[in-house]
Amino acid sequence: MAGILKYLAGVETPKTLVFGITGKQGRSKSRLMRKFGTEIIAGCTPGKGGQEVDGVPVFDSAAEAVNAFPQLNSAVLFVPAGAVRKAAIDAVDAGLKFLVLTADGVPTQDEIVLKEYVSTNDSVYLGPNTVGLLDTEGYLFGLIGGSATWARKNYRPGKVGVISRSGGLSQLLGAFHCRPNLPGPRADGSYGPLWGEDYPGLSAVVCVGGDPVPGISMLDAATAFEKDPRTEVMAVYGETGTTQENDLAEAVMNGGITKPIVVFLGGKFTKAGVSQSHAGAMIRNENETWKAKQKALLDAGITVVERPDAVFSAVLGKLKKS
Amino acid sequence: MSALPEYRTRILLERENVPLVNGVFVSPGEEHPSDLPEMPVYLKAQIPGATSRKSSGLVRRVATTEELEENLSILLSPGEWGVAEGVLIAEGLDLTAEYYAGCMLDFGSKERLPGGMLLFSTEGGSGVEGRSATLLKMRFSLLHPPPPEEIESELKKLENLEEHAAVAGFLKGMISTFIEYKLNVLEVNPLGVLKDGSILAVDCRAEFEKSAVRKRDMDVFYPPGLRSSRDITKLEEVVELINRDDPSGTGFFRQNRETPSEGAFRVATNLCGGGGKMLWEMTTGSRTDIFTMNESDTSGGLSAFKSYRILRVILAQKDAQVLLLTGSGMAFQNQHHLAAAVWKALRESPTPLPSLLRFGGTDEDKARELFERVSGTLPVPVKTYPAVVFPNAMVDDIRDMAGETVKIGEAYITPEGEPAITVLIPPGKIYYYPERWQKDEIPPSVKACPTGFLKWNKNALTTDPEAKCIGCLMCETAALLDGNAEILIELEMPEVVD
Ligand code: SF4
């Protein structure tokens, strides 16, 4: 069975190029990705072409890498924020279909330019400022899990699709759905294990990132999960700023998304105009406030929880119904 | 987002050949130059982000040299407005019209691509929105910015505007400046029209993101030696300095400006990641009995060295009663390393706080174990939580913890000995005390080094130049717990915080 990338980017089996593989983070995260199962075929660092990192050949540009390995279809960028725009355009020009931009602090103008750039191509990208994507089919882009052993132990195949704007909560929502006997508040008001050994499990985790102009949006991710046959419920972490939750609500309202969704909506106490640790959480107009989003989601029939540990029993409730 | 005051915005506009009113900048303590513009002139105090400068007396028209001297010295001295970066002395011109022009970001929508937004109004600045006959609102591509002809044809749709070509040229220059420096906002207000029909920027300002500033433009965005008048506390400034010399991961720290309500528990927080921050906010945002002393976000794989230094700042907050640390529950930072940092900070801070610590992520069990082992020697009570316990449950313990009187455990007494080897690992030093390790085996501290940076060679400590110190504190932790304090680490703070 194909993983979520088939529906997100038209990529059945990812064959991946790592930008910045010669750097400290690039090297260690490439190891994590490979150990988890991602097929990393080549690396790219301008000026370091010809080298090898853990047996992976390094090229000066994406075009050269694709020339040598035409099967390449995806890339992950472990490059500094200031270098993201150039590297991403290089990857898109080389025809790579799916990119993950991990860097935090990419200038907003660069994000806007990238968005315009890919609009005329058929490439998509996740991020910036994302921990990436993990699919329990056996591939991982970015840094989810921290170590491959931890990631394998904590992310197990199942029925829940996770979408999140926060790296930490991407990981938490993903892993806790795979934890046997997870305690939490139950629907009847009691507190205790929500399930036994039969945890719901995970199809994939997609972290859309914490920035104001994300490539793949929450709605894009939800649309992919809608098509993914493994996914029965979506667990979503949303927050103030941007209109992603509003767009998701609209799609549910219009019948474009029909699978049940549970949203944990953060930022109830975020004040307008104040910068946040996620640049994208800043409220710029009244549609982007917590209240407006909560209303839009509820109006569309989406379950909204305000306590993070309430996500799991809500998801369980949806699974029982379906 | 940060603000750029007028005189520094002018530098950017000038570089893109945008015409400006004549002006000379004078900074405090500097003699004003002799080639001043002709009288009358305007004196404008330069304060980043200050609005309505006219009504608050920060812009003054003077007609004589005496008036100039007097007002200049007032504006250059500290006042209600804080400390100005300096004063811009600008020519007073006879303008036949005043317009408004601005560039900002358009974040787009599901249907519309994001881009830039050009605003131009023939009616001047305030409340430009909503006057469509005199307002041009033009979306533009940052990738392929519009040529002047395109701007000009848009301008022709406006009432009461004659200088179409001149204005279009000017706006083109503004757009170039906006894009060249990746600004978030660039405003010219007013844009003045002179009798001969030429136009120039009379006043201007900009907003920018730190991360968009290129190295070569640093002198404009962050002039050296500038005493900032930003709203920033002493402790926040220390964290900025820590971030500057150790950029690993995220280190965000902001103190609460509000006054705690009476009887509320005052909690200093170390929140890890946007997720940790959000969990904490969801738990306590509506509670009046808990006052969060500071927001923080330490995440993204920062070193334990950095965690320690930020924790020292967090613990130094006046009047805090407890420390609460939580991430989302799935941190990237190795939790054992983090625990070592917390332990060190509690040991070494002169103002340790009773602590509630929720560890979640790689080695979370080891993190809790560490505190089980050292609990008898801590200067304050500490309670640890596993990741499956959410912060709501921790909050219930704050009451108990805040009330606990500080009890001194049997503090660890370091054995005798002088350090013989010092290894420099900025921002600190590793000291090795050979007298404390007489056994014929590798000391636990060296064994604990995960990168192989510390090596044991013929009963002596060496370092491997090929390996790196990742600032994890594992060597010192093992020395204290399993060895004989044969290795100790001293970490420097950029400034004294206690
Ligand atoms: S010397 Fe080794 S154990 Fe000590 S802080 Fe550095 S990396 Fe960690």
Side-chain angles (χ1 to χ4, degrees):
Chain A
M1 193 194 293
I4 196 68
L5 272 189
K6 176 177 174 193
Y7 310 105
L8 212 46
V11 169
E12 297 249 359
T13 314
K15 314 265 181 198
T16 306
L17 174 68
V18 177
F19 279 78
I21 195 168
T22 49
K24 193 172 134 212
Q25 208 206 14
R27 184 185 295 250
S28 74
K29 297 310 170 218
S30 298
R31 283 186 195 147
L32 158 71
M33 287 170 58
R34 286 172 85 188
K35 272 199 207 149
F36 191 81
T38 316
E39 211 180 319
I40 294 180
I41 293 190
C44 174
T45 305
K48 303 224 166 145
Q51 297 187 2
E52 270 194 9
V53 173
D54 294 336
V56 176
V58 180
F59 295 85
D60 283 322
S61 70
E64 285 172 33
V66 171
N67 219 353
F69 298 102
Q71 67 271 41
L72 281 167
N73 54 20
S74 50
V76 56
L77 276 65
F78 296 111
V79 301
V84 165
R85 170 170 162 175
K86 197 162 175 282
I89 287 178
D90 183 28
V92 171
D93 286 347
L96 302 177
K97 292 279 165 287
F98 174 68
L99 324 179
V100 174
L101 320 182
T102 57
D104 182 6
V106 175
T108 310
Q109 284 215 16
D110 287 354
E111 297 186 359
I112 290 176
V113 163
L114 279 179
K115 192 97 178 172
E116 181 174 343
Y117 198 80
V118 295
S119 70
T120 52
N121 285 279
D122 54 357
S123 301
V124 294
Y125 62 89
L126 193 61
N129 192 7
T130 175
V131 293
L133 173 149
L134 178 150
D135 195 293
T136 51
E137 272 294 293
Y139 54 80
L140 158 61
F141 284 80
L143 38 157
I144 295 178
S147 79
T149 344
W150 179 264
R152 273 218 214 91
K153 189 174 119 199
N154 283 282
Y155 302 94
R156 320 283 307 169
K159 306 165 191 159
V160 184
V162 170
I163 306 169
S164 164
R165 287 171 62 184
S166 143
L169 291 173
S170 296
Q171 304 208 87
L172 174 120
L173 292 179
F176 280 21
H177 281 111
C178 307
R179 229 168 241 198
N181 309 304
L182 179 82
R186 301 192 184 105
D188 64 4
S190 63
Y191 187 94
L194 299 170
W195 47 69
E197 296 295 315
D198 53 339
Y199 52 80
L202 195 69
S203 52
V205 180
V206 178
C207 175
V208 295
D211 274 3
V213 189
I216 288 170
S217 69
M218 231 170 215
L219 174 58
D220 298 332
T223 308
F225 279 122
E226 177 78 12
K227 293 179 193 150
D228 173 43
R230 302 166 300 170
T231 306
E232 291 177 25
V233 183
M234 292 175 228
V236 176
Y237 169 71
E239 59 189 15
T240 56
T242 80
T243 56
Q244 295 185 80
E245 294 76 6
N246 316 54
D247 297 340
L248 178 63
E250 198 185 307
V252 171
M253 197 81 127
N254 297 339
I257 306 273
T258 58
K259 288 184 183 174
I261 302 177
V262 174
V263 175
F264 164 37
L265 192 58
K268 189 170 180 180
F269 305 100
T270 299
K271 294 189 189 111
V274 176
S275 45
Q276 302 293 315
S277 56
H278 285 168
M282 179 152 144
I283 299 169
R284 293 185 305 253
N285 61 53
E286 56 206 38
N287 290 330
E288 300 187 355
T289 61
W290 189 88
K291 268 231 141 70
K293 295 197 175 200
Q294 186 209 30
K295 184 172 184 310
L297 292 165
L298 290 176
D299 285 352
I302 295 171
T303 303
V304 178
V305 300
E306 292 183 30
R307 270 176 69 154
D309 55 356
V311 172
F312 311 101
S313 60
V315 165
L316 193 66
K318 305 276 179 206
L319 281 172
K320 279 187 181 149
K321 262 188 223 158
S322 64
Chain B
M1 225 167 331
S2 312
L4 207 59
E6 179 188 3
Y7 79 101
R8 290 196 266 135
T9 309
R10 284 166 58 97
I11 301 174
L12 306 185
L13 287 167
E14 202 167 15
R15 287 184 188 170
E16 297 298 310
N17 302 318
V18 175
L20 304 166
V21 66
N22 271 330
V24 179
F25 175 69
V26 187
S27 57
E30 189 186 72
E31 281 292 305
H32 63 79
S34 47
D35 55 340
L36 287 177
E38 238 174 84
M39 294 287 174
V41 292
Y42 284 93
L43 304 185
K44 307 201 241 178
Q46 299 295 300
I47 297 172
T51 48
S52 39
R53 285 192 294 170
K54 243 181 211 151
S55 54
S56 37
L58 294 175
V59 174
R60 301 173 180 207
R61 183 178 187 274
V62 297
T64 64
T65 323
E66 292 74 49
E67 273 178 16
L68 180 127
E69 297 294 347
E70 187 188 331
N71 284 287
L72 195 58
S73 96
I74 296 174
L75 291 177
L76 286 174
S77 318
E80 295 148 30
W81 51 81
V83 185
E85 289 182 16
V87 170
L88 183 72
I89 305 176
E91 191 177 351
L93 295 170
D94 277 336
L95 302 176
T96 59
E98 294 188 10
Y99 301 147
Y100 165 89
C103 290
M104 45 206 72
L105 296 175
D106 170 14
F107 288 83
S109 70
K110 209 161 44 113
E111 292 81 25
R112 190 181 77 244
L113 280 173
M117 180 67 79
L118 175 67
L119 292 177
F120 173 80
S121 161
T122 53
E123 291 196 33
S126 50
V128 285
E129 304 273 347
R131 287 185 241 139
S132 56
T134 56
L135 172 71
L136 167 71
K137 232 176 141 179
M138 179 182 175
R139 200 209 152 268
F140 62 88
S141 159
L142 297 174
L143 199 53
H144 308 290
E149 305 76 54
E150 200 181 318
I151 304 173
E152 192 178 342
S153 77
E154 288 296 317
L155 286 171
K156 285 190 174 148
K157 295 176 189 159
L158 294 182
E159 289 170 6
N160 348 320
L161 180 70
E162 280 156 21
E163 311 81 3
H164 299 117
V167 173
F170 183 94
L171 295 179
K172 171 74 194 158
M174 267 183 83
I175 290 179
S176 309
T177 313
F178 182 68
I179 294 177
E180 174 66 18
Y181 298 96
K182 297 184 182 168
L183 301 172
N184 290 52
V185 175
L186 173 63
E187 267 187 336
V188 172
N189 185 24
L191 190 171
V193 183
L194 299 177
K195 271 197 208 98
D196 65 358
S198 61
I199 57 169
L200 39 73
V202 178
D203 199 344
C204 55
R205 62 171 209 103
E207 287 175 21
F208 66 99
E209 292 160 322
K210 271 186 208 160
S211 60
V213 178
R214 288 172 300 201
K215 263 210 189 92
R216 63 166 191 265
D217 303 321
M218 273 298 184
D219 55 334
V220 180
F221 288 87
Y222 296 100
L226 187 69
R227 256 205 60 80
S228 74
S229 55
R230 292 173 302 156
D231 168 30
I232 181 168
T233 66
K234 169 93 196 311
L235 292 179
E236 287 165 8
E237 208 159 356
V238 175
V239 172
E240 267 204 22
L241 293 173
I242 294 173
N243 277 315
R244 222 171 280 169
D245 67 35
D246 180 356
S248 73
T250 299
F252 175 82
F253 172 81
R254 190 172 193 280
Q255 290 186 282
N256 196 338
R257 273 32 172 191
E258 284 159 26
T259 327
S261 53
E262 201 149 321
F265 293 109
R266 298 178 299 275
V267 183
T269 62
N270 184 354
L271 307 175
C272 311
K277 183 168 169 286
M278 207 47 81
L279 293 190
W280 177 245
E281 264 182 31
M282 295 310 283
T283 310
T284 58
S286 61
R287 295 180 65 141
T288 49
D289 58 337
I290 289 179
F291 181 79
T292 305
M293 305 284 295
N294 68 284
E295 288 176 53
S296 53
D297 175 0
T298 60
S299 59
L302 73 168
S303 67
F305 283 7
K306 186 165 172 178
S307 271
Y308 162 85
R309 296 165 92 206
I310 293 180
L311 270 156
R312 285 292 302 271
V313 175
I314 294 172
L315 290 173
Q317 294 184 98
K318 225 173 137 257
D319 297 329
Q321 291 172 291
V322 290
L323 167 72
L324 184 136
L325 177 147
T326 179
S328 62
M330 294 291 289
F332 292 121
Q333 189 181 19
N334 181 297
Q335 299 293 285
H336 191 201
H337 302 177
L338 174 61
V342 181
W343 181 36
K344 186 174 173 68
L346 291 178
R347 274 194 329 259
E348 295 177 2
S349 165
T351 51
L353 294 170
S355 304
L356 299 101
L357 312 170
R358 174 174 178 257
F359 294 112
T362 308
D363 285 344
E364 57 180 62
D365 302 337
K366 283 191 191 157
R368 286 195 300 277
E369 252 168 57
L370 188 158
F371 277 97
E372 274 161 34
R373 288 188 66 185
V374 303
S375 65
T377 64
L378 291 170
V380 285
V382 170
K383 198 164 174 186
T384 60
Y385 303 80
V388 288
V389 172
F390 277 77
N392 357 354
M394 299 172 77
V395 165
D396 299 333
D397 291 336
I398 288 179
R399 187 180 303 268
D400 300 339
M401 283 292 219
E404 294 228 16
T405 43
V406 174
K407 57 166 191 246
I408 310 289
E410 276 179 43
Y412 184 84
I413 298 165
T414 12
E416 299 281 302
E418 288 298 315
I421 297 175
T422 307
V423 185
L424 284 180
I425 32 141
K429 297 181 186 106
I430 298 178
Y431 294 115
Y432 176 63
Y433 298 77
E435 289 161 61
R436 297 182 189 171
W437 194 255
Q438 306 289 350
K439 294 188 197 168
D440 204 16
E441 58 188 76
I442 306 180
S445 47
V446 176
K447 262 193 228 156
C449 180
T451 64
F453 176 69
L454 297 183
K455 285 253 168 297
W456 195 242
N457 187 8
K458 298 187 192 115
N459 282 336
L461 181 80
T462 59
T463 55
D464 179 352
E466 296 286 304
K468 265 198 186 133
C469 169
I470 53 167
C472 67
L473 290 172
M474 287 297 103
C475 49
E476 182 186 63
T477 306
L480 293 176
L481 288 178
D482 304 317
N484 189 35
E486 67 280 2
I487 275 184
L488 293 180
I489 295 182
E490 182 183 86
L491 293 175
E492 270 162 35
M493 295 295 289
E495 271 181 54
V496 180
V497 292
D498 305 304

